[in-house]
Amino acid sequence: MKNILVIGSVGQIGSELTMELRKRYGNGNVVAGYRATKPTGDLLESGPAEVVDATNIEQIADVVKKYKIDTIYNLAAILSAVGESKPLIAWNIGIGGLMNCLEVAREYGCAVSTPSSIGAFGSSTPLDNTPQDTIMRPGTMYGVSKVAGELLGDYYYKRFGVDTRSVRYPGIISNVTLPGGGTTDYAVEIYYEAIKNKKYTCPLGAGTFLDMMYMPDAIDAAIDLMEADPSKLVHRNSFNITAMSFDPEIIAKEIKKHIPDFVMDYDVNAMKQGIANSWPNSMDDSCARKEWGWDPKWNLEKMTLDMLQAIRKKHEMGLF
Ligand code: NAD
Ligand code: SER
């Protein structure tokens, strides 16, 4: 039996991860931690919810004690694009928040999962087939905090035996909660705009290849890694994982197969483009496949069909 706390549960990943964890481990055993925005709907009604600000160590410890938590999924973060306008806040949440989780985990014997990102890499990284272990000198505060977070996770494992494990997520594409201000957000926005206006203006230029993944695979990865046999793990923080790699032209072409009059033009955002240029075009995720059986189920074709169906339904219901 697991007792789980998800910090950042109302975000893009947290809102779906929390529900899947409840399905697998029991509604009452998964606490939805939130800071400013209270969960709504199923997320609120299906299980416990508590205010947990990652930067407040007492709040984390109180909830861990109250619910006898043994696993913390810490999803609190400021994503890459927003982080460039708020670097101090991005650091305080990304690293201050993680340190608090690790300290509480050390005291109360919890496992900890804090996602890293393709943002942990930088322009001096080999950008094609990016290896698991390679140069990591990112040019954003988001990336700096992700590299430091990976190192902290490994430090707490080696020094104190805290069971820390994590993945380096690529851009995550989903249709429940909108993304929180990252460089890869375009690959979600494009579907909403295709349904609503049959037109999209892309902030990244043609030829900008990035790794991407559909949410069901992202959630399986987070849970499967925490369930993996520890004796098989050579790495811990963090594993490259990917499901597909495309540029804006390729995703637009896929959408056009279903919405033939869809059109896309470009208004390149220099900041986002600079970030995207410094991130891998495609990662090598063979270590995750070998060490804990990572095996994504969704490709661009299958995902596009599912995204368009789900978002069309939301549009027909007047939800956007
Ligand atoms: P998000 O921005 O959608 O959600 C983050 C949540 O954290 C939000 O609900 C926010 O309110 C909350 N939060 C912010 N500060 C907090 C604090 N001090 N205490 C508690 N909660 C706080 O982000 P997401 O996309 O769900 O990302 C979750 C994790 O996955 C992050 O670590 C992110 O870096 C990582 N990641 C996401 C992606 C992606 O494409 N979504 C890709 C790579 C890595
Ligand atoms: N989707 C995230 C971002 O663009 C990648 O970590 O910030």
Side-chain angles (χ1 to χ4, degrees):
M1 174 70 78
K2 275 195 189 299
N3 293 318
I4 299 170
L5 167 62
V6 180
I7 299 178
S9 67
V10 300
Q12 186 194 6
I13 296 175
S15 57
E16 296 197 55
L17 177 63
T18 306
M19 295 306 289
E20 183 59 28
L21 288 167
R22 285 181 175 164
K23 209 186 283 173
R24 296 194 199 189
Y25 300 106
N27 284 348
N29 300 323
V30 181
V31 181
Y34 64 98
R35 188 188 50 161
T37 310
K38 200 172 178 176
T40 54
D42 283 350
L43 190 56
L44 181 66
E45 284 149 26
S46 61
E50 296 278 352
V51 173
V52 182
D53 185 328
T55 62
N56 183 331
I57 194 165
E58 282 82 25
Q59 270 177 10
I60 303 173
D62 286 349
V63 171
V64 164
K65 278 186 279 181
K66 181 174 170 184
Y67 292 91
K68 299 187 170 44
I69 297 295
D70 53 54
T71 305
I72 301 171
Y73 283 90
N74 168 36
L75 305 179
I78 302 292
L79 296 193
S80 59
V82 175
E84 287 311 283
S85 59
K86 300 175 181 172
L88 182 59
I89 295 174
W91 176 264
N92 288 342
I93 294 172
I95 293 304
L98 173 57
M99 275 299 283
N100 290 339
C101 292
L102 291 169
E103 273 300 302
V104 171
R106 177 164 77 94
E107 192 168 348
Y108 294 97
C110 307
V112 179
S113 172
T114 295
S116 186
S117 162
I118 47 174
F121 297 112
S123 49
S124 51
T125 299
L127 298 182
D128 291 309
N129 206 27
T130 303
Q132 169 68 36
D133 302 307
T134 186
I135 300 163
M136 300 180 79
R137 298 192 62 82
T140 61
M141 180 50 86
Y142 180 68
V144 170
S145 72
K146 289 302 182 193
V147 174
E150 291 189 16
L151 294 172
L152 277 173
D154 279 349
Y155 175 79
Y156 268 72
Y157 170 64
K158 286 183 187 140
R159 175 94 165 78
F160 303 117
V162 177
D163 186 0
T164 57
R165 310 173 186 194
S166 58
V167 292
R168 290 180 188 134
Y169 277 134
I172 305 299
I173 298 170
S174 67
N175 54 59
V176 173
T177 304
L178 290 171
T183 303
T184 60
D185 292 12
Y186 95 86
V188 177
E189 291 160 2
I190 192 170
Y191 288 107
Y192 281 83
E193 290 303 309
I195 291 290
K196 196 174 172 189
N197 299 317
K198 296 182 179 177
K199 181 179 184 314
Y200 181 61
T201 299
C202 188
L204 298 182
T208 309
F209 278 82
L210 291 166
D211 285 293
M212 300 280 177
M213 182 179 297
Y214 199 28
M215 185 63 89
D217 277 333
I219 286 173
D220 281 348
I223 300 174
D224 290 352
L225 176 56
M226 294 314 277
E227 290 284 358
D229 175 354
S231 69
K232 304 254 165 61
L233 300 181
V234 178
H235 297 86
R236 281 192 166 253
N237 301 282
S238 301
F239 284 93
N240 283 4
I241 55 168
T242 184
M244 57 192 100
S245 167
F246 55 74
D247 83 327
E249 290 290 309
I250 293 174
I251 186 173
K253 201 167 151 202
E254 194 58 37
I255 291 172
K256 256 175 116 57
K257 285 185 192 165
H258 304 277
I259 306 175
D261 47 350
F262 171 67
V263 288
M264 182 174 74
D265 60 9
Y266 291 94
D267 182 11
V268 169
N269 175 304
M271 189 259 289
K272 286 188 179 180
Q273 186 66 54
I275 295 175
N277 288 349
S278 75
W279 288 359
N281 303 321
S282 65
M283 287 188 289
D284 171 7
D285 60 6
S286 53
C287 289
R289 289 174 185 267
K290 192 167 152 206
E291 293 175 38
W292 51 276
W294 163 242
D295 183 20
K297 309 280 181 297
W298 293 81
N299 60 21
L300 177 62
E301 294 76 19
K302 219 171 120 187
M303 175 183 79
T304 296
L305 194 62
D306 202 61
M307 280 292 283
L308 291 175
Q309 276 171 359
I311 293 168
R312 186 170 287 121
K313 211 162 159 191
K314 283 175 100 163
H315 193 239
E316 283 164 6
M317 290 164 74
L319 295 177
F320 74 99

